[in-house]
């Protein structure tokens, strides 16, 4: 009986290594066993080889007032490649990305926005939101791939507020764009406690919601389908002390928090196990001394799979760290101030 089960398991594994990411994603939802297997390094490497699907990250930096966006592949860590953006009419900044390979970009010269798919060099110029309101953050989420349907949320600063409101709340204007109807609409305003504000460059999209760190050490979540938001705390043991580097990321399809204690050279990885109850659990405690001895100021940018984390500095380098084998691959991307890491 066990041999028959193993044979069936092996056959399913072989099928999954040759399947589209959409199909793999469905199996992850159906089975905890395959959810675990399909995030392991062996599977991601084998899947990439057999399907020719390219996955990785756009590492955006600014050099001489221009954005540079080299693409770093998770499967060819000793080299990096340029995915050209010259098919777009303007020089752009990436402001949001999706795992389906769709980007939201902003052209500053003409203050316009493009949704594009670099792999096939297609783009759409979308209507402008109310640009007289200063942008705080954007989020792009794909609803379906064929035909392409997506939603965009934009947070901006309201112009006028009474002194009483300014003292009590951090007000955020919310606009939503739906590609199905091709227009923006104004949603209900978000009012955060006065001392809270969204920490840019911390956006994570999981479970149909965008998540950002706040400067007070909480998580702000916005559900784009329900047009609702909530504020909840980080794990208590990591919210104390100012000497810890705390980031949000996606780990195996779940919201995760990384916390680096630079004095002890350890990085903790906490997972949101129960999103409804906002229950965290510590999954890993990783000794990163082998890395910080060479690069003392690195911070985690994203997880490539269950075993490998992409680390970065403010300048120059990104590093792939396999925290099970302690293997390090380092890439020099050139000079420039880091302005974001976008999964693709």
């Amino acid at each position: 009986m066990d041999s028959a089960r193993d044979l069936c398991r092996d056959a399913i594994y072989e099928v999954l290594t040759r399947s589209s990411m959409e199909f793999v994603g469905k199996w992850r939802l159906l089975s905890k066993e395959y959810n675990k297997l399909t995030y392991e390094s062996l599977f991601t490497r084998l899947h990439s080889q057999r399907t020719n699907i390219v996955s990785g990250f756009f590492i955006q930096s600014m050099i001489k007032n221009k954005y540079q966006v080299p693409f770093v592949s998770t499967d060819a860590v000793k080299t990096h490649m340029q995915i050209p953006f010259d098919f777009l009419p303007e020089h752009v900044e990436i402001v949001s990305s999706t795992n389906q390979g769709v980007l939201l970009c902003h052209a500053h010269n003409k203050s316009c926005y493009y949704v594009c798919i670099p792999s096939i060099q297609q783009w759409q110029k979308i209507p402008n939101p109310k640009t007289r309101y200063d942008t705080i953050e954007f989020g792009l989420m794909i609803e379906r791939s064929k035909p392409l349907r997506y939603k965009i949320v934009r947070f901006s600063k309201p112009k006028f507020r009474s002194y009483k409101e300014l003292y009590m709340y951090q007000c955020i204007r919310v606009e939503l764009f739906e590609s199905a109807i091709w227009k923006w609409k104004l949603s209900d305003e978000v009012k955060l406690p006065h001392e809270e504000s969204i920490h840019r460059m911390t956006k994570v999209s999981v479970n149909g919601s965008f998540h950002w760190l706040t400067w007070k050490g909480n998580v702000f979540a916005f559900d784009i389908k329900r047009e609702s938001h909530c504020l909840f705390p980080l794990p208590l043991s990591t919210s104390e002390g100012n000497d810890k580097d705390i980031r949000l990321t996606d780990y195996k399809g779940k919201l995760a928090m990384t916390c680096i204690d630079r004095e002890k050279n350890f990085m903790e990885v906490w997972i949101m196990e129960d999103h409804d109850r906002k229950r965290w659990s510590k999954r890993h405690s990783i000794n990163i001394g082998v890395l910080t001895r060479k690069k003392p100021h690195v911070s985690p940018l994203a997880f490539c799979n269950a075993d490998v984390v992409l680390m970065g500095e403010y300048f120059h380098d990104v590093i792939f760290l396999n925290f099970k084998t302690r293997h390090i691959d380092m890439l020099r991307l050139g000079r420039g101030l880091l302005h974001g890491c976008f999964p693709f």
Side-chain angles (χ1 to χ4, degrees):
M1 193 72 171
D2 287 342
S3 60
R5 185 183 300 133
D6 290 343
L7 184 63
C8 179
R9 182 176 176 271
D10 291 344
I12 293 173
Y13 189 87
E14 285 295 308
V15 170
L16 289 174
T17 60
R18 293 172 167 84
S19 300
S20 69
M21 285 308 301
E22 288 179 314
F23 187 78
V24 173
K26 291 177 182 177
W27 271 91
R28 285 172 174 170
L29 294 174
L30 290 172
S31 167
K32 289 184 178 179
E33 179 187 6
Y34 289 105
N35 182 71
K36 181 180 179 180
L37 282 174
T38 55
Y39 279 107
E40 291 178 353
S41 295
L42 177 61
F43 177 88
T44 56
R45 184 169 61 251
L46 195 58
H47 181 265
S48 176
Q49 292 170 357
R50 291 179 172 181
T51 62
N52 290 323
I53 293 174
V54 176
S55 62
F57 306 91
F58 284 110
I59 308 297
Q60 183 164 258
S61 61
M62 180 173 278
I63 303 173
K64 296 181 180 179
N65 295 321
K66 279 197 171 184
Y67 289 100
Q68 307 292 324
V69 282
F71 178 77
V72 176
S73 170
T74 57
D75 309 305
V77 296
K78 293 186 177 179
T79 60
H80 66 280
M81 55 191 290
Q82 293 285 341
I83 295 183
F85 282 80
D86 54 7
F87 65 94
L88 290 170
E90 308 288 337
H91 181 75
V92 297
E93 170 196 7
I94 300 173
V95 295
S96 192
S97 72
T98 69
N99 287 330
Q100 296 89 343
V102 184
L103 306 177
L104 174 63
C105 301
H106 180 212
H108 290 271
N109 290 343
K110 294 186 177 179
S111 191
C112 57
Y113 295 88
Y114 300 95
V115 172
C116 69
I117 307 175
S119 59
I120 57 175
Q121 299 197 346
Q122 288 186 357
W123 58 272
Q124 294 176 323
K125 182 179 178 181
I126 65 170
N128 272 359
K130 300 294 184 182
T131 54
R132 66 177 178 272
Y133 298 96
D134 293 335
T135 299
I136 298 173
E137 263 288 33
F138 274 100
L140 169 67
M141 190 169 290
I142 304 301
E143 292 188 301
R144 56 190 292 187
S145 299
K146 294 180 181 180
L148 181 62
R149 293 287 184 268
Y150 53 86
K151 284 186 177 181
I152 300 169
V153 62
R154 177 186 181 242
F155 299 139
S156 58
K157 297 178 182 178
K159 285 292 185 182
F160 303 107
R161 282 293 176 268
S162 67
Y163 286 111
K164 184 179 179 180
E165 268 193 307
L166 285 172
Y167 181 76
M168 294 177 63
Y169 303 110
Q170 183 75 243
C171 297
I172 300 176
R173 193 171 177 276
V174 182
E175 292 169 279
L176 291 166
F177 179 81
E178 296 185 47
S179 64
I181 60 175
W182 206 247
K183 66 179 182 180
W184 291 91
K185 71 172 185 177
L186 189 63
S187 188
D188 293 338
E189 190 173 77
V190 169
K191 290 185 177 181
L192 298 179
H194 171 67
E195 295 182 345
E196 292 282 12
S197 59
I198 293 174
H199 190 330
R200 289 189 173 187
M201 291 177 60
T202 64
K203 178 173 58 197
V204 177
S205 173
V206 293
N207 294 319
S209 296
F210 295 104
H211 303 78
W212 288 267
L213 276 179
T214 71
W215 288 104
K216 293 295 289 182
N218 293 305
V219 179
F220 170 70
F222 185 86
D223 188 315
I224 197 168
K225 183 177 288 187
R226 298 177 182 176
E227 299 182 27
S228 62
H229 69 278
C230 63
L231 195 69
F232 56 90
L234 294 169
L236 292 176
S237 63
T238 60
S239 61
E240 300 173 1
N242 297 319
D243 58 340
K244 296 181 178 180
D245 183 354
I246 295 174
R247 305 292 174 105
L248 289 183
T249 186
D250 176 342
Y251 183 71
K252 295 168 56 171
K254 293 184 177 182
L255 179 67
M257 185 208 73
T258 59
C259 176
I260 290 183
D261 188 325
R262 298 199 184 278
E263 289 185 0
K264 298 179 179 178
N265 285 326
F266 265 84
M267 180 173 76
E268 294 181 351
V269 181
W270 291 73
I271 307 297
M272 177 67 75
E273 296 288 2
D274 189 329
H275 204 272
D276 292 331
R277 297 180 182 180
K278 305 297 185 286
R279 190 173 68 213
W280 298 88
S281 68
K282 187 164 73 170
R283 183 65 60 87
H284 298 290
S285 185
I286 305 163
N287 187 330
I288 58 171
V290 65
L291 178 58
T292 54
R293 282 191 288 272
K294 298 178 180 179
K295 298 288 180 180
H297 303 297
V298 293
S299 296
L301 299 176
F303 284 93
C304 305
N305 51 47
D307 312 327
V308 178
V309 59
L310 177 67
M311 312 283 280
E313 292 185 304
Y314 286 113
F315 298 94
H316 307 315
D317 298 330
V318 293
I319 301 102
F320 288 88
L321 169 66
N322 187 314
F323 50 85
K324 289 190 176 179
T325 65
R326 298 292 189 269
H327 181 73
I328 294 173
D329 277 295
M330 193 173 300
L331 295 179
R332 175 145 293 188
L333 301 182
R335 298 180 179 275
L337 183 64
L338 181 67
H339 270 254
C341 173
F342 299 92
F344 181 81

